[in-house]
Amino acid sequence: MIKTLFILSFFIQAAIVQSLTCEDDRYWNFFQLENSQLVTYYCADVGKNFRNRKRFCETTIGDTLVKEKCPKACHACPSGEAGCMDGYPLGWVDSRGNGCDWYARFTSIRCERGEEYLNQFRTAKQVCCVCGGGCANWPQGWHDSDGSGFTCDWYAGKKGRCQADGESFENRGFTANKACCACGGGFEQRGGSSSSLTAEDPENEDSNASA
């Protein structure tokens, strides 16, 4: 029974991680009239060649921009530190109790070892902006259908908003739970900076030096 629960927990955590990576919505599709026939396009079709990307990626279908549903096919995945915030789960710490703020000091040395201290199936290199990880809200500039004030920052501003409204008020094909890092959505960042702040870490790496 314990083993079954552990395996179930693993797959739940894996599903959460998968939802954060930059992937196309493989089930989303749209129709185009071509030669008097209705043709169905999926993201895989959009990304098949340059002609399709040029034709569709900047096209709006209903209220949804194609590249926002097919960011990988359209080469539109967010990257670098632009808009980066420390990722999911919120308040993450490594297996020794150190959070992203700890890795932000003496970055190059600590981030170099960032994959050694797995916790909640995540490492500092996945969660922390300073280690090249983190999260970006997606689509950029998103707000829910209730108005321009209800952005990802609004959802992040008060505990419980994601739980209460995160699956409602869809806009541009996304709800807050899909669009906002604070609600467990958004995309993982790639290629963030991990530049050195100092030549060496004076603190003991084997202790929980969180001060």
Side-chain angles (χ1 to χ4, degrees):
M1 179 66 176
I2 293 175
K3 183 177 180 181
T4 301
L5 289 174
F6 175 80
I7 293 172
L8 180 60
S9 174
F10 174 84
F11 280 110
I12 290 172
Q13 292 288 348
I16 290 172
V17 172
Q18 180 65 26
S19 71
L20 289 171
T21 58
C22 183
E23 296 290 345
D24 298 332
D25 185 340
R26 61 179 179 171
Y27 300 110
W28 183 78
N29 62 76
F30 59 94
F31 303 98
Q32 292 286 296
L33 189 63
E34 298 178 1
N35 299 322
S36 301
Q37 291 185 332
L38 207 57
V39 179
T40 305
Y41 281 89
Y42 290 85
C43 290
D45 302 309
V46 172
K48 187 176 292 184
N49 54 52
F50 173 78
R51 179 179 177 276
N52 282 0
R53 287 195 296 273
K54 185 177 181 181
R55 181 184 176 191
F56 294 124
C57 286
E58 297 295 336
T59 300
T60 299
I61 308 294
D63 68 345
T64 302
L65 189 62
V66 170
K67 72 177 182 181
E68 293 176 350
K69 282 295 187 180
C70 309
K72 200 169 183 179
C74 292
H75 301 171
C77 293
S79 62
E81 292 183 326
C84 184
M85 60 185 292
D86 292 330
Y88 189 86
L90 299 178
W92 177 89
V93 294
D94 67 19
S95 59
R96 302 176 305 162
N98 295 319
C100 292
D101 57 343
W102 184 85
Y103 282 91
R105 302 195 300 272
F106 317 110
T107 304
S108 63
I109 293 175
R110 291 178 174 178
C111 288
E112 188 68 27
R113 300 179 61 183
E115 292 183 347
E116 296 180 17
Y117 306 107
L118 183 76
N119 188 28
Q120 295 179 276
F121 296 90
R122 308 284 281 161
T123 68
K125 287 193 174 182
Q126 293 172 305
V127 178
C128 303
C129 293
V130 295
C131 295
C135 181
N137 296 323
W138 182 263
Q140 295 176 356
W142 180 90
H143 59 78
D144 74 23
S145 61
D146 211 25
S148 59
F150 298 100
T151 63
C152 289
D153 287 341
W154 182 84
Y155 277 92
K158 188 174 181 180
K159 187 176 181 180
R161 286 176 175 173
C162 295
Q163 289 82 357
D165 296 321
E167 284 297 329
S168 305
F169 306 107
E170 180 178 299
N171 187 28
R172 294 160 61 184
F174 292 80
T175 61
N177 285 353
K178 293 179 181 177
C180 304
C181 297
C183 297
F187 284 147
E188 282 187 342
Q189 289 281 46
R190 304 294 185 190
S193 170
S194 58
S195 58
S196 174
L197 298 182
T198 187
E200 60 182 54
D201 184 352
E203 299 182 26
N204 183 353
E205 287 286 344
D206 294 323
S207 64
N208 288 338
S210 57

